[in-house]
Amino acid sequence: MTWMLIRLILSLAFVGGVLWFAARLAKKRGLGSSGGLVEVVARQRMGRASTVNVLRIGDRVLVVGATEEQVTLLAELDGDAVEATLAERAAAGPAPAADGSQRPVVAARPGGVRVGGALAGSVFDRQGWQGFVTTLRERTVRR
């Protein structure tokens, strides 16, 4: 029993040492740090496998289109105009997500709001769930 406990402690110490060494090595090589020159200002999905990204690299702001096969420079923007737009958007609407992208709003009832009914607008509203499922089907169908 004592020997098993000693083996367990030694095994845990070995694993902890390997993790500590790996963390130091990653820190020395700059892995996992987000303090680099490249910052993603905004990201918008255009389809299943394509996105448009606004990147800030140093003092330049680039609009980049990305697919599974390639990355293409679409435009270069004025940094002051981008800052003004972001400040205006933050003051006017909801804050962007943690990664900088804007989440699309999915309408629960594409046909409009049903007037009346005790469950209208609640989680138990059947028409709301049917509209939500229909919207999801339309967005996920392969064409």
Side-chain angles (χ1 to χ4, degrees):
M1 179 71 175
T2 307
W3 177 245
M4 288 178 66
L5 187 59
I6 292 172
R7 274 182 55 192
L8 176 68
I9 291 172
L10 289 175
S11 298
L12 288 174
F14 176 74
V15 170
V18 168
L19 289 174
W20 177 76
F21 178 74
R24 281 193 55 188
L25 184 65
K27 189 174 182 180
K28 281 184 182 179
R29 294 191 179 192
L31 300 174
S33 65
S34 62
L37 289 174
V38 179
E39 176 189 356
V40 178
V41 176
R43 179 179 299 145
Q44 178 66 45
R45 290 184 57 97
M46 301 307 287
R48 286 182 184 259
S50 61
T51 60
V52 174
N53 304 308
V54 179
L55 306 174
R56 180 179 292 126
I57 303 173
D59 58 348
R60 296 177 67 183
V61 178
L62 306 174
V63 179
V64 178
T67 64
E68 290 179 355
E69 294 84 24
Q70 65 184 6
V71 176
T72 306
L73 177 63
L74 299 175
E76 186 170 346
L77 301 175
D78 180 32
D80 298 332
V82 172
E83 290 296 327
T85 303
L86 289 175
E88 180 181 308
R89 181 175 288 171
D99 63 354
S101 65
Q102 294 291 326
R103 293 195 177 112
V105 177
V106 178
R109 290 178 205 94
V113 178
R114 183 177 62 177
V115 178
L119 300 178
S122 73
V123 176
F124 302 109
D125 184 11
R126 182 176 180 172
Q127 186 177 4
W129 282 107
Q130 286 174 345
F132 180 70
V133 169
T134 303
T135 304
L136 285 179
R137 282 186 187 141
E138 289 174 6
R139 289 182 177 223
T140 58
V141 69
R142 291 186 182 179
R143 293 179 183 162

